[in-house]
Every structure is written in structure tokens, then in C-alpha cells.
Amino acid sequence: METVRVENLSKSFGSLAVLKNISFGVMKGEVVAVIGPSGSGKSTLLRCIAHLETVDSGTITVDGDVMTRDGVYAAPAVLRQVCLKVGLVFQNFNLFPHFSVLRNITEAQIHVLKRSRDEAESRAKELLAKMGLSEKAGDYPCRLSGGQQQRVSIARALALDPLVLFFDEPTSALDPELTAEILRVIRRLAAENITMVIVTHEMAFAREVADRVLFMDGGVFIEEGPAASVIDNPQAERTKLFLQNLSGEKP
């Protein structure tokens, strides 16, 4: 069963066409890595599905519920329920600096899911333990390392029990040691069969964790297939050039 289905999705900012008639699906429990050069439309694609950007045309369906069809959005009550099924982890954490770690994770549960404070805090503490951050519940984001902040942001996204979790270059703001820390967390989530779409420049990680890789450039998908196949033996010349540039090889 498909958790996400995108059909003929287009998005422009003024005269700049960022997404051009994009179509793809994500199966339940599947991990999909979206790779490609900066400015290719990867982040915009995630933001459109998470309803942080509005589309110009196309259809987005999440767990069988239509968010937008041909660019016309569902009624507000339906749209809210669909959006709750999608979690997004940002590359720059986006934690509330004036909230403690615990409150960063509980606030949306209380106000969006209408959970009691006790229930929300219980769920938050469970997730902090899962992230290895139980002792940081009372700290503020400024007291955390970048890797710890990103783990809190992952816990915050998971606290709303999304059906699909999006990662927008979750390690781009981190040094190599902290990057490894976050990649270990995502590996554990993949082992739990959590449906994920990950925008990343970490090719070894994408090859290891993703079931499928989509290579994107110029607002379209150039190539897609099993992760090992696309990364080790790309067929499209543009994919080959991108991977060669990443690895420092000469074309």
C-alpha cells in the first residue's frame, strides 16, 4: 500500500519553475532517498508534501486521503488531518529556543493532538530515552550540541505519530562526528519499518539505508531505482556526473 502518492506536481516561484510535473509514490515501510545537486527542487518537494508550500498544480495523496487535487486543496478540516500524517525534520533543527527540550516535544502534542500534559510528557520522555537524551529533558536548545538538537527535532516529529517522516538534509549543519550520530538514529528508525523520505548528500548512507533512490535535477526525476543500483551503476549521464563530482572522480 502506498503511503504517499504524488502525481504531476508543479511548483514555481515567480518565473522560476522549481518542480516540473513530478510523479512518484512511497510504499508503507519504504525508505526513499532523494539525491541531486543543490537547487534541484528536493527540499521544495518535501515542503509541498508537508504543506509548507502550496503547489501550482498536481495531486498529493497521503494514506489514501487527498491533500490537493489538480492544485485545489481539501477543506480545512480534512487538510489538517492529512497534514498530521506527515512529519518533517528540518536541516537547521527549528527548535523553540525559549522552550525546554521536554516542552519542545510536548507542546504540539497538547495543542494539536489534544493530549493531556501527562500523556504528552510521558510520550516525550519515551522518545528522549529512545534518542539517548533522557538527561537533557530540562535543558534548553542552546545548551545542546547540533547532533543533540537534531535528535530532539526527530523526537518532536515522531511525537505526533506521523505515517511518513521526511528528512530535509538532516546532517548538512553537522560536523562528521555528529553526522554519524544522526545517521545511526535514522538507521534504527529504518529497522523499525518507519516510512521515510530522506533528502541527503550522504551517498554511502543512502546506499545502506534506502530501499530506493530518486535522482533529481532541474525540477524533475532523472533516474530512480534500487539504492545500490542507482549509486553503484547509474544509467543516466547526469546521474553519473553528479556522483563522480561528489566522489571527486574525473569524468
Side-chain angles (χ1 to χ4, degrees):
M1 176 181 175
E2 284 188 326
T3 299
V4 176
R5 164 52 52 181
V6 172
E7 297 177 351
N8 305 318
L9 186 66
S10 294
K11 171 67 179 178
S12 296
F13 295 102
S15 60
L16 178 64
V18 179
L19 301 176
K20 305 171 185 176
N21 211 36
I22 289 282
S23 296
F24 78 108
V26 182
M27 301 299 292
K28 182 178 180 181
E30 186 179 27
V31 179
V32 175
V34 183
I35 65 173
S38 297
S40 60
K42 306 183 301 297
S43 295
T44 299
L45 176 62
L46 295 193
R47 290 176 65 84
C48 284
I49 303 172
H51 194 45
L52 297 178
E53 300 284 357
T54 56
V55 307
D56 298 328
S57 61
T59 298
I60 299 172
T61 305
V62 181
D63 193 38
D65 293 328
V66 177
M67 174 186 289
T68 179
R69 188 185 301 281
D70 299 327
V72 178
Y73 280 85
V78 175
L79 186 58
R80 178 180 178 276
Q81 292 303 312
V82 176
C83 289
L84 282 175
K85 298 178 180 182
V86 178
L88 176 59
V89 177
F90 300 90
Q91 55 184 299
N92 292 318
F93 323 136
N94 284 20
L95 299 175
F96 294 111
H98 56 297
F99 286 177
S100 69
V101 165
L102 187 67
R103 191 175 175 191
N104 262 285
I105 302 172
T106 58
E107 206 69 5
Q109 295 184 70
I110 293 167
H111 295 288
V112 177
L113 296 185
K114 307 302 181 185
R115 288 175 177 162
S116 69
R117 184 165 298 278
D118 285 348
E119 185 181 7
E121 289 188 355
S122 175
R123 176 64 170 149
K125 289 174 181 177
E126 172 190 326
L127 289 167
L128 284 173
K130 186 174 185 176
M131 297 294 150
L133 293 172
S134 294
E135 75 285 0
K136 300 295 184 181
D139 286 357
Y140 286 81
C142 65
R143 295 177 59 90
L144 306 181
S145 70
Q148 289 170 335
Q149 289 187 58
Q150 191 61 294
R151 280 185 280 161
V152 173
S153 69
I154 294 171
R156 180 179 60 182
L158 289 170
L160 297 180
D161 302 324
L163 293 181
V164 58
L165 192 56
F166 291 160
F167 291 86
D168 186 8
E169 298 191 26
T171 62
S172 65
L174 305 176
D175 64 32
E177 185 175 0
L178 297 180
T179 291
E181 183 180 298
I182 298 306
L183 298 184
R184 282 194 295 270
V185 170
I186 298 175
R187 284 189 190 96
R188 290 201 299 268
L189 297 178
E192 295 173 14
N193 293 319
I194 293 176
T195 308
M196 293 185 282
V197 179
I198 307 168
V199 169
T200 184
H201 283 106
E202 302 285 342
M203 292 303 109
F205 170 72
R207 188 189 187 284
E208 174 192 349
V209 172
D211 300 298
R212 188 158 47 101
V213 163
L214 307 176
F215 174 67
M216 192 173 188
D217 190 27
V220 299
F221 289 133
I222 303 295
E223 185 169 353
E224 69 173 281
S229 177
V230 172
I231 292 172
D232 294 346
N233 188 32
Q235 300 302 302
E237 289 303 316
R238 182 65 186 94
T239 314
K240 292 178 184 178
L241 180 60
F242 171 76
L243 293 171
Q244 287 168 351
N245 288 338
L246 275 187
S247 66
E249 296 177 7
K250 293 182 179 180

